Amino acid sequence: MNIQTLLLLVGLLLPQLSLADGPPKQNNFPDGVSSQSLGADLWREVRQRDLQSSGVSQVKGVDSGILINAHGDQWARFRTSKLTTYGSIALAAMFGLVFLFYVIRGKIGIEGGFSGNMVQRFTDYQRIAHWTLAIVFLFLAITGLILLLGRPLLIPLFGKGVFSILASASKEGHNLFGPLFLVSLLMMLFSYVSRNIYEKGDLTWLLRLGGSIGDGHVSTGYFNMGEKIWYWIVILIGLVVALSGLILVSPNFGQGRVIMELSHITHTIGALALIVFSVAHIYLGWIGSEGAMEGMKTGYVDASWADAHHDRWGKECRDQGLVISAEEYARLQGKNPAVEVATEQGK
Amino acid sequence: MIENLIDGPLWYFSLAVFCIGVLWQLVTIIFASRKQDLSLARSSSTSGALKTVFSRFVPHKEMTSKIGIQLVAGYLFHLGLFALLFFAAPHVIFLEQNLLGFGWAPLPHWAFIIAAQAAFLGLIILWLRRMLHPVSRLISTLDDHIVAILTFVVMLTGCFALLESSTGLRLLHRFSVELWLIYFPFSALMHTFTFIPSRAFTGAWFGRRGIDA
Amino acid sequence: MARMKFYCDAERCIECNACVTACKNEHEIPWGVNRRRVVTIKDGEQGERSLSVACMHCSDAPCATVCPVDCFYTTGDGIVLHDKDICIGCGYCFYACPFGAPQFPEEAAFASRGKMDKCTFCAGGPEEDHSSDEYKKYGRNRLSEGKLPLCAEMCATKALLSGDADVVSDIYRKRVINRGSSAFNWGGNAKITG
Ligand code: HEM
Ligand code: SF4
Ligand code: SF4
């Protein structure tokens, strides 16, 4: 190694060394050569560790002044490895759990069977709000999951060409229906909130896991604590998912990539949580608890169901004389023979 | 193959069925034999007709609270559908190139999507209310459900095709439109053309008899 | 096999934007899309430097990792290309790319962006070489004609280098050596950025 190369090496390394001891400083060489550590300076700016966009570009666009966004790669790898894996594990686990619950507990029927006497549980508007939310939610969940899990799960099945069509439809559908989720969430919020305030006795229900621990049924009002928790999960996580979704869906406001990445992570974790919990909810409402679906379909539930699952509310209804007979209920549902004839003639 | 069918013969066939069917329906309605109204005219049937055409856009006061959600959803759906049918850029371009030869200023993309969202929300709520309300469910015929679902499918396939890049998705949308056009004249969809004449007819009758309703 | 690379020499780039313009013109790129851009750091301050940047054709490309429809592929020359027929315009590659290379013809509400467009190293796309389809979607395929990317070819100061990574780094290494020694020979206010 000759002296020239050695000098060169020193010359090249000196500016770099100043990186180690904090901000670049002016080195005054004895012979008057002033050498600022511009290299370190420049590449630090380029690397943009502090996320401050200090560059400018004639090309105008989102983040066009930023040369390197190091978070993009982290985000990409988090999405493709962690989110997809843990997301599908959580989903599969919940299906397993629900199945296990079905095997152990089976359908939860009513002791002594249904009475035939009915009591109104939901108004028309409440049921419309619930099913609007349900339809929009399921649509968003399916289209969202296609985007998230399609590459590992569906491309091997259909190939890229076909999957691209499916993904394009899903993406457009998801983006169009997204804002409707917020609207139906607000319908849900206002029409059910008064029934979902914490009441005395709710904590007992929670501590005894709805009667799974200790003996028998825990006394509950209109909604039990489990239902209330689900309601607030839907509302609160739903709002987070909806708002982060709205950020993602409006790239026209020029928010930078980092905001988009954070919104995406928030959105997807929130959405996965909602999807996973909704599996349990759908199971309990549809298959798990006999007589519950009736309530959301017709607005009426059997008085014995009310007593068995929501005893204080059931008693309230009986005390106030709100229970109607099987005949009255049939008439309201248009199942009365006389009504049948009338509609037949009407057609 | 299938592309040529959907873009060609099936399109003209459905258009022909639609036009001839609608005309035929309207003609038969107009020339249907009606009992002559022998009563003395108490007031003008023309003003009665005009009044009813417009007054029916608003429900009766007593009804408003009962049908609030249908009212809102109904308007959302119909206005949204109208806007997106005639003012979405891809529709304007399609009509210009395939049917009319002239176009007009379309809505910006965001307004088109908002119109579509209004239409979707309205249609979902209206159909749910039809299913969930015992009386509406009882008086709904199969045709009512087919009409709602078919319209929904047309809108949904349109939404799926929004990227405007896949031929498959475009054909799916066009095919569902063709089914819709063919079904149109024989269904409740005819109310698009009949709601004004039928209001006018009732209104004229009311007007002549001096009924204020 | 060659491994294609860009390198921009910050000591030479004079922010003339000729590379940006050349690229736009060569490939007939639509409004709003710029496959290449020049970024100036410390604009108007001491130590101002400019760098021209486009897709860097990463070996382990974040865009390809994240794309939900898996539409990226790497050519034998190490060029990262994508298939516009498969792209759904979700924008994820733009979030993932460190260099902000992926571009979209629009950024409209309801996430309607159109198909992604980015630097192809003048190597076209999956369509048949020199077909009109390829030209419409991806621009000119210069590489298959034995030509290097036009941006670097046009660069007046030869700041922007393109080509086989070994050749590019050889050129650059020589420049650094020259500059490094001259810093000490001149005795003036030499400023090296390495
Ligand atoms: C206000 C409501 C919502 C809006 C505005 C919204 C919007 C978005 C947007 C813009 C994306 C990016 C997709 C793309 O552009 O291709 C997205 C992704 C996603 N959304 Fe939503 N969304 C909403 C609600 C929901 C709900 C309720 C769910 C689940 C039930 C959900 C699940 C997902 C999933 C799983 C992804 C995929 C993430 C990925 O591919 O990495 N979203 N959403
Ligand atoms: S688009 Fe970005 S991430 Fe993808 S290869 Fe080019 S520089 Fe790398
Ligand atoms: S915009 Fe296109 S290329 Fe980019 S990640 Fe989405 S689908 Fe892939």
Side-chain angles (χ1 to χ4, degrees), chain A residues 183-197:
Chain A
V183 177
S184 42
L185 196 66
L186 293 179
M187 284 167 69
M188 192 76 188
L189 174 62
F190 293 122
S191 58
Y192 287 85
V193 67
S194 62
R195 293 291 197 177
N196 281 286
I197 311 292

mmCIF file of all heavy atoms in Angstrom, chain A residues 183-197:
data_model
loop_
_atom_site.group_PDB
_atom_site.id
_atom_site.type_symbol
_atom_site.label_atom_id
_atom_site.label_comp_id
_atom_site.label_asym_id
_atom_site.label_seq_id
_atom_site.Cartn_x
_atom_site.Cartn_y
_atom_site.Cartn_z
ATOM 1 N N VAL A 183 -71.914 4.962 7.936
ATOM 2 C CA VAL A 183 -73.302 5.397 8.035
ATOM 3 C C VAL A 183 -74.127 4.377 8.827
ATOM 4 O O VAL A 183 -74.863 4.728 9.752
ATOM 5 C CB VAL A 183 -73.913 5.590 6.629
ATOM 6 C CG1 VAL A 183 -75.370 5.969 6.724
ATOM 7 C CG2 VAL A 183 -73.137 6.644 5.859
ATOM 8 N N SER A 184 -73.964 3.097 8.497
ATOM 9 C CA SER A 184 -74.784 2.108 9.205
ATOM 10 C C SER A 184 -74.318 1.950 10.651
ATOM 11 O O SER A 184 -75.117 1.628 11.536
ATOM 12 C CB SER A 184 -74.795 0.768 8.462
ATOM 13 O OG SER A 184 -73.525 0.442 7.988
ATOM 14 N N LEU A 185 -73.041 2.214 10.886
ATOM 15 C CA LEU A 185 -72.550 2.173 12.267
ATOM 16 C C LEU A 185 -73.224 3.271 13.095
ATOM 17 O O LEU A 185 -73.614 3.049 14.253
ATOM 18 C CB LEU A 185 -71.032 2.374 12.275
ATOM 19 C CG LEU A 185 -70.305 1.990 13.549
ATOM 20 C CD1 LEU A 185 -70.402 0.489 13.759
ATOM 21 C CD2 LEU A 185 -68.858 2.416 13.493
ATOM 22 N N LEU A 186 -73.395 4.429 12.480
ATOM 23 C CA LEU A 186 -74.046 5.520 13.209
ATOM 24 C C LEU A 186 -75.516 5.200 13.449
ATOM 25 O O LEU A 186 -76.071 5.498 14.510
ATOM 26 C CB LEU A 186 -73.898 6.841 12.436
ATOM 27 C CG LEU A 186 -72.453 7.365 12.353
ATOM 28 C CD1 LEU A 186 -72.383 8.649 11.562
ATOM 29 C CD2 LEU A 186 -71.873 7.575 13.749
ATOM 30 N N MET A 187 -76.176 4.554 12.463
ATOM 31 C CA MET A 187 -77.570 4.130 12.671
ATOM 32 C C MET A 187 -77.633 3.201 13.880
ATOM 33 O O MET A 187 -78.514 3.298 14.739
ATOM 34 C CB MET A 187 -78.094 3.382 11.441
ATOM 35 C CG MET A 187 -78.447 4.274 10.256
ATOM 36 S SD MET A 187 -78.702 3.302 8.732
ATOM 37 C CE MET A 187 -80.204 2.427 9.105
ATOM 38 N N MET A 188 -76.669 2.297 13.925
ATOM 39 C CA MET A 188 -76.584 1.322 15.013
ATOM 40 C C MET A 188 -76.327 2.032 16.334
ATOM 41 O O MET A 188 -76.950 1.729 17.351
ATOM 42 C CB MET A 188 -75.422 0.374 14.687
ATOM 43 C CG MET A 188 -75.358 -0.854 15.521
ATOM 44 S SD MET A 188 -76.596 -2.002 14.975
ATOM 45 C CE MET A 188 -76.426 -3.199 16.283
ATOM 46 N N LEU A 189 -75.410 2.973 16.311
ATOM 47 C CA LEU A 189 -75.045 3.689 17.534
ATOM 48 C C LEU A 189 -76.270 4.342 18.151
ATOM 49 O O LEU A 189 -76.587 4.127 19.316
ATOM 50 C CB LEU A 189 -73.980 4.747 17.203
ATOM 51 C CG LEU A 189 -73.587 5.695 18.339
ATOM 52 C CD1 LEU A 189 -72.973 4.915 19.486
ATOM 53 C CD2 LEU A 189 -72.602 6.742 17.846
ATOM 54 N N PHE A 190 -77.019 5.104 17.341
ATOM 55 C CA PHE A 190 -78.105 5.872 17.925
ATOM 56 C C PHE A 190 -79.299 5.002 18.289
ATOM 57 O O PHE A 190 -80.020 5.299 19.227
ATOM 58 C CB PHE A 190 -78.513 7.004 16.981
ATOM 59 C CG PHE A 190 -77.429 8.036 16.852
ATOM 60 C CD1 PHE A 190 -76.879 8.356 15.624
ATOM 61 C CD2 PHE A 190 -76.928 8.652 17.997
ATOM 62 C CE1 PHE A 190 -75.863 9.288 15.532
ATOM 63 C CE2 PHE A 190 -75.906 9.584 17.916
ATOM 64 C CZ PHE A 190 -75.377 9.905 16.672
ATOM 65 N N SER A 191 -79.518 3.925 17.568
ATOM 66 C CA SER A 191 -80.748 3.181 17.847
ATOM 67 C C SER A 191 -80.580 2.184 18.993
ATOM 68 O O SER A 191 -81.560 1.669 19.502
ATOM 69 C CB SER A 191 -81.251 2.482 16.587
ATOM 70 O OG SER A 191 -80.267 1.617 16.093
ATOM 71 N N TYR A 192 -79.365 1.880 19.406
ATOM 72 C CA TYR A 192 -79.207 0.889 20.472
ATOM 73 C C TYR A 192 -78.509 1.424 21.718
ATOM 74 O O TYR A 192 -78.433 0.721 22.720
ATOM 75 C CB TYR A 192 -78.400 -0.317 19.974
ATOM 76 C CG TYR A 192 -79.145 -1.230 19.040
ATOM 77 C CD1 TYR A 192 -79.201 -0.967 17.686
ATOM 78 C CD2 TYR A 192 -79.786 -2.380 19.539
ATOM 79 C CE1 TYR A 192 -79.885 -1.814 16.824
ATOM 80 C CE2 TYR A 192 -80.451 -3.229 18.677
ATOM 81 C CZ TYR A 192 -80.497 -2.934 17.314
ATOM 82 O OH TYR A 192 -81.175 -3.789 16.480
ATOM 83 N N VAL A 193 -77.970 2.647 21.642
ATOM 84 C CA VAL A 193 -77.065 3.067 22.714
ATOM 85 C C VAL A 193 -77.740 3.078 24.078
ATOM 86 O O VAL A 193 -77.158 2.657 25.080
ATOM 87 C CB VAL A 193 -76.426 4.451 22.390
ATOM 88 C CG1 VAL A 193 -77.452 5.540 22.401
ATOM 89 C CG2 VAL A 193 -75.303 4.739 23.353
ATOM 90 N N SER A 194 -79.021 3.448 24.143
ATOM 91 C CA SER A 194 -79.662 3.582 25.458
ATOM 92 C C SER A 194 -79.767 2.242 26.169
ATOM 93 O O SER A 194 -79.845 2.189 27.386
ATOM 94 C CB SER A 194 -81.049 4.199 25.288
ATOM 95 O OG SER A 194 -81.820 3.324 24.497
ATOM 96 N N ARG A 195 -79.773 1.153 25.412
ATOM 97 C CA ARG A 195 -79.869 -0.166 26.020
ATOM 98 C C ARG A 195 -78.510 -0.728 26.419
ATOM 99 O O ARG A 195 -78.431 -1.810 26.984
ATOM 100 C CB ARG A 195 -80.508 -1.152 25.032
ATOM 101 C CG ARG A 195 -81.962 -0.866 24.732
ATOM 102 C CD ARG A 195 -82.827 -1.142 25.935
ATOM 103 N NE ARG A 195 -84.234 -1.256 25.552
ATOM 104 C CZ ARG A 195 -85.196 -1.551 26.415
ATOM 105 N NH1 ARG A 195 -84.922 -1.784 27.681
ATOM 106 N NH2 ARG A 195 -86.450 -1.632 25.997
ATOM 107 N N ASN A 196 -77.453 -0.026 26.070
ATOM 108 C CA ASN A 196 -76.126 -0.592 26.278
ATOM 109 C C ASN A 196 -75.286 0.149 27.298
ATOM 110 O O ASN A 196 -74.062 0.064 27.287
ATOM 111 C CB ASN A 196 -75.374 -0.658 24.944
ATOM 112 C CG ASN A 196 -75.834 -1.840 24.112
ATOM 113 O OD1 ASN A 196 -75.502 -2.972 24.407
ATOM 114 N ND2 ASN A 196 -76.648 -1.568 23.100
ATOM 115 N N ILE A 197 -75.968 0.891 28.173
ATOM 116 C CA ILE A 197 -75.252 1.578 29.251
ATOM 117 C C ILE A 197 -75.027 0.572 30.380
ATOM 118 O O ILE A 197 -75.844 -0.304 30.615
ATOM 119 C CB ILE A 197 -76.090 2.767 29.748
ATOM 120 C CG1 ILE A 197 -76.570 3.617 28.580
ATOM 121 C CG2 ILE A 197 -75.311 3.577 30.769
ATOM 122 C CD1 ILE A 197 -75.505 4.362 27.844
#
